[in-house]
Structure formats: C-alpha cells, structure tokens
Amino acid sequence: MTSLLLLLGCLAAVHAPPPEQVRWCVKSEEEYRKCLDLAAAAPTFTCVTKYNTLECIVAIKADEADAITVDGGDIYTAGLSNYDLQPIIAEDYGSSSETCYYAVAVVKKGGGFGIRDLRGKKSCHTGLGKSAGWNIPVGTLVAMDIIEWAGIDDKPVEEAVSSFFQASCVPGAARGSKLCQLCKGDCSRSHAEPYYDYSGAFQCLAENAGDVAFVKHLTVPDAQKPHYELLCKDGTRAPVDGYKTCHLAKVPAHAVISRKDQQLASLIWKSLSDVQNFDLFSSEAYSPAKDLMFKDATQRLVQVPPHTDSFLYLGAEYMSIIRSITKERAPRNSTIRWCAVGHAETQKCAVWSISSVSNTASIECRNASTVERCLQKIMREEADAVSVDGGQVYTAGKCGLVPAMVEQLESVKSTSSADGSSSYYAVAVVKKGSGVTWANLRGKKSCHTGVGRTAGWNVPMGLIYNETRDCNFTKFFSSGCAPGAAADSPLCRACKGSGGAVGNEAKCKPSAEELYYGYAGAFRCLAEDAGDVAFIKHTTVQENSDGSGPDWAQSLRSSDFELICPGQGPVPITHFTSCHLAKVPAHAVVTRPETRARVVATLQVQQTLFGTGGSDSSFRMFQSENGKNLLFKDSTKCLQEVPAGKTYGTFLGEEYMTAMSSLRHCSESVSDLEKSCTFHSCQRI
C-alpha cells in the first residue's frame, strides 16, 4: 500500500497542472498594500506576507510562495543547497549600469577623511548579509587590510567589524550589540527598522546617526547630491555622480528568485510582462517607503538565461568577496582536486589518486558528466582543475577562470615556463578518392569532436559562417555527429552512443561515453562511414592507423585518408603545415586565479613522477588504457606553465579570439554556461 501511495504521489507530481497564479512574498505593510494594488490590476498575482527575506525564501522553498526580488547577498543565501532557489529575472537600471549596480561608500561633503580613516567612525548599513551594505564593504575593507581579521577560526567577522567602527546600524545583527547601536527601531532586516535597506541607510547618514553609509550608486536623491561625496579605494573622494570611477565594486543587480521550475519561471515572466495600468517600479503612492517589491530605479526587467543558478548569476568576483568574509574551506597546500569527465576518465583519475597518495603533492578526484559541469565545479570550489581544449578555455575565461599549464606536444619546449605556448593544426580529413573537397562540402555528412571544441567546431564552423553568414549549420551539412548538439538535431543523427545493446542515453553526449566524441571519436565517425568529413587535429589520423590506436582502428591505413582545405584540392595527411584550417593553441589546465600557483606546483611534482619518463611507473599521466586522450591528450610530452598574469585571451591569441568572436553571432554556438557567465555587463571581460 505504501509503495502504491508513493507511486500515485509520483504520478501526481509528474502530471501536476501548470501553475496559474504567482504568489508574491512581501515583508512589510507598505509592500503588502502595493502587492494588493498589483493584484487588483493583474489578477494573476496574489500576496503572501512574511516578516523578513529569509522567511520568504523558506516559504518559496516550501511552495507557500513563488517569488520575491532580492539583492545579491540574498541570492547567494537562496542558492544554498538547503533552499536551492534560482534567479530568473533581473532588474535593469538603464544606461547607468544595466543589470548591475555600483556599491559605494557615501559620506557628507567636507568631512576630510578617506576610506583608510574609517576606524572609529560610525557606519550605516543596508542590512547584514546584503550586497552593497555588508558583503561588498566588509569584504573590501578586509581585503585592503583596513579591517584586520584572521578568519572565522579567530572570531566572527561581525565581531571584527564591531571592533573597527565606533558604532553601527546593521539591520539583522544581534540586538543589543554595537552593530545595532545606531539603529532607530528594532534592528531587524525589515521595514520595522527605519534605517533598513538603501533609503534607510542613507537616512541614517542624513540624520547624523552615522558618518558613512554603504549603499548603491542610485541611492542619494538628486536634490541631495551636492551635499554628499563618495569614498574611493585610492583614498580620495569624488562627487556622488563619479561612481563609475569611485566605487567599491560593480555587482549584479537585484533579481527575482523562485524554485527551479521552468513552467513557474515562464508564468512569472509572462505575468510581469503583461502588467498594465500599474507602475511596478514606483513606490510613490506608499511614501515614505521606497523600493517596494522592486527597486524604484529599475527601468525594465530582463530574463536571466535558463539554467543560471545563483552562483553563475553572481559571478566569480562576487563569490570571491563572499568567501573573503566567510573564509570558506581553506585550501590544502599540496592537494588539488582534479575533475574527470565520464566513467573512463574517473577510472584513470582513481588510479592517479591512489598512486599519488604517498607523495607530498597529491591528487583527489571529482567527476562530472561534461566539461562544462567540471568548470562549474571549479568555479564553486568543488574541484580545482581540469584540462580542456581552446574553445573551453574561452568559456572558462569568460567565467573568470585562468589557464595555468598548457599541454606541450614537443619535448624540446618542455621547460618550466615560457611565453611560447604549444599549438596544433585544426584539419579537415576525408577518405581518399571520395571526391569531397572544401568547395563541395555543402550537403555532406560531418563528424565533429564536439560542439564548442576548437578543431571540431569553432574553427570549421567559424569559417563556414564567414562564407555563408548563416548560423543554421544544419542547412549546410545534411547530417552528422556533433556531440553536445540538441538531441533532435540532424547533427546528432550519425552519433553512435555508447555502443551498448540496451539504452542509448550516451548518444550525442559531449563525453567519452559517446564513441564518436573527441578527436579519435570524430575520426572513427569518418572511418566507419557515418560521415564524409572529420574535423580533427593534425596528429589524429597517425595516432589511430597503421597499427596504432584501439581495436577499431587496427585495420586502418593513414594513406587512405587526405586533407582538404579552402583553395586547395585534397593533399596527403602529412601536408598539414600547408593545408589546414587554423593553427590553434594546445589544450590547457584551467583553474581559479587564487589556486593557480598551487595547481602549477602540484602538477610539476606529478609529472616528475608520472609524466613521460617519470620516476614512478605505477601510473602514466599521458597514456590512456581504456580509451583515448583521458584527462590529458595522449600526445602530450609534458605540461608547461603558462606565465602568471597571462589572460585567456592572450593565451588563445588574436586569430583564435577573432574566430570565436565571429562564431558568437550564432547563439546556438554559445553554451548555456557562457551565456550565464556573460549575462551581466559587470561580468564581461
């Protein structure tokens, strides 16, 4: 009976009708009044009252409410695993900042003190854990060593702030503490505290309760601007309108958060878009309250890219600030967590980890289903490093990661650090005598290493786009295998999957579980007549023919294949220096900026032990037994350090960056991860 009830419950969940109303969570009587007026103008909305933001977050998680607009600090809290909410709609503040805003320190004009003179002053904050009022200023002052704090093991950061300022109003802090001393009401993170939020923190300063207010750049009313100034990080002051050059940080805008339910997100967006005869972005009718439901400075709302969680929305810079004031997970100096993609890589990584355990520099393994999920784990500090191709270096760079080491394909260049990076040629391979040329490629079947990969996608599709100016590549190729493409795309039709007799979940997936994935996979796609052309690198044919390579390649002869390229007829595969699509950078190990030095040091020890000619034969980093190119390319001779400070753009080079920019005209060639990482103007690099 219990099993039957569980089954019926599951079926009910699967067939649950789509939501019909949006239950908006409000935190004050004034917000409730505005929400009721909205509901009268747009009956899709109903109103749920809670005491504060956290209660609203809990209510949305429990399906007692559906949405609320919150700032970055609360977006972070809402995205934690115990709540698992996500941002779905961002506020846009117009040309001054778009979907970002500036966190600033406002003071009265003529005070004479700078940011390094704040010790002993009185401070006004929007609320504990809020972006402009707490996370950004406290994180900045700690990072600049203005507030001395050794970390959570020493004392709570609130105690360090309390010791630094003479007195404060930090709504949400412990009542009775110095952080509540300046507050006018109950020091709650609600409108029951007059000094809460942006307008409240500014009122705290205006009424001389405090000497500095930490708010956003749009807070000071126009009529009041001549009487106030901003504190700049260089110690100077600037006019209130000088926020673009004088601010603490530029951070993502407030956003509507909800449960991870696409139907609900669509309803919320449609409902807000359809509102008429009601100004969502005005609180004038409820004066003196401000910023009710949405910030009054909002110009419009913008949909957040699908699958953007709170971490991706906030971005790497904001998350590093969060970590600076929470001191999360101090890294171990000699261990790095390597991210493996798929089952075969996970198996190889496990052997590596076991082999490294007795050494001072060791490896722990994490795994993910795709490279992009590995990048997300690294961004979240759930992993530290992964080796990826140039296209994925580009995406990683857009998400704030950096190249630390590059796979070197020539032993002569295997030095500790150099400005010259290893490279390879992206080529197009066809069967000899097939009659396929670059000029007659249209309508043929294509084999790709994976969508977003360098040799297999970015280079050839960039060239094709430049010729056709058409992003619909399914009009160019009749079918093919491009792992990572939409499952119903013709470019998934030729994919093989895992080759198993039962199920086909791996078909067209961008991992080694898809037999036509990667360099060897794309070549196999051509060799087995699933495609007419394979876009791979110049060494792939030799690595999988003439007796080299896995079982499926044992009968292949390299002389049975040719290269094609624009402006030339087919040539032997050995002529790659004169017939190629592009010369591109080798694969690179990417990591977070703050872990770069640790990753480099650990990998240098590892390759001394397990690299080509390493001293420990129990494991080989650059050999793959149960597949090809697992963790690293099998053709790698060693890993070479990418000089500190070298950006992903400099690493990839101008030619490749130009090709990537060209392909960015095609939105389907931009991954969901990259779209999320570049959604905000403050995230763009």
Side-chain angles (χ1 to χ4, degrees), residues 389 424-429 438 441 446-468 470 473 476-477 482 519 533-537 564 566 580-582 584 656 659-660 662-663 669:
D389 107 313
Y424 63 92
Y425 294 94
V427 297
V429 178
W438 187 266
L441 266 185
S446 56
C447 303
H448 307 262
T449 59
V451 173
R453 298 282 298 269
T454 298
W457 186 267
N458 296 335
V459 169
M461 299 320 232
L463 289 172
I464 289 170
Y465 172 79
N466 285 338
E467 291 178 8
T468 64
D470 189 346
F473 298 120
F476 190 86
F477 292 113
Y519 297 116
V533 59
F535 299 110
I536 49 182
K537 70 173 179 175
I564 61 172
H580 56 261
L581 306 184
V584 295
Y656 190 74
M660 291 297 287
S662 174
L663 204 53
S669 291

Side-chain angles (χ1 to χ4, degrees), residues 163-298:
S163 300
F164 180 78
F165 291 112
Q166 177 186 331
S168 303
C169 178
V170 185
R175 292 184 179 120
S177 70
K178 280 179 65 179
L179 296 182
C180 283
Q181 188 173 327
L182 299 181
C183 289
K184 201 172 184 179
D186 62 0
C187 195
S188 65
R189 259 192 54 165
S190 75
H191 291 289
E193 168 52 61
Y195 288 167
Y196 169 66
D197 214 354
Y198 298 114
S199 58
F202 177 68
Q203 185 182 348
C204 168
L205 173 66
E207 295 179 355
N208 295 315
D211 303 308
V212 60
F214 298 109
V215 291
K216 70 174 180 178
H217 71 288
L218 298 167
T219 302
V220 181
D222 288 342
Q224 298 292 316
K225 287 179 180 178
H227 307 298
Y228 294 90
E229 292 179 311
L230 305 181
L231 297 183
C232 310
K233 288 195 286 187
D234 64 2
T236 63
R237 289 186 173 209
V240 171
D241 285 333
Y243 55 83
K244 288 190 176 180
T245 55
C246 179
H247 55 262
L248 304 182
K250 193 177 181 186
V251 295
H254 292 216
V256 178
I257 56 171
S258 187
R259 293 180 299 282
K260 292 180 177 177
D261 179 335
Q262 192 55 52
Q263 279 190 324
L264 178 58
S266 298
L267 175 65
I268 294 170
W269 170 252
K270 183 179 186 304
S271 299
L272 289 170
S273 301
D274 289 347
V275 170
Q276 296 179 356
N277 304 319
F278 186 85
D279 190 347
L280 291 170
F281 314 130
S282 173
S283 304
E284 189 175 351
Y286 317 95
S287 181
K290 294 183 178 180
D291 300 326
L292 301 178
M293 299 184 69
F294 298 93
K295 298 305 143 215
D296 295 342
T298 305

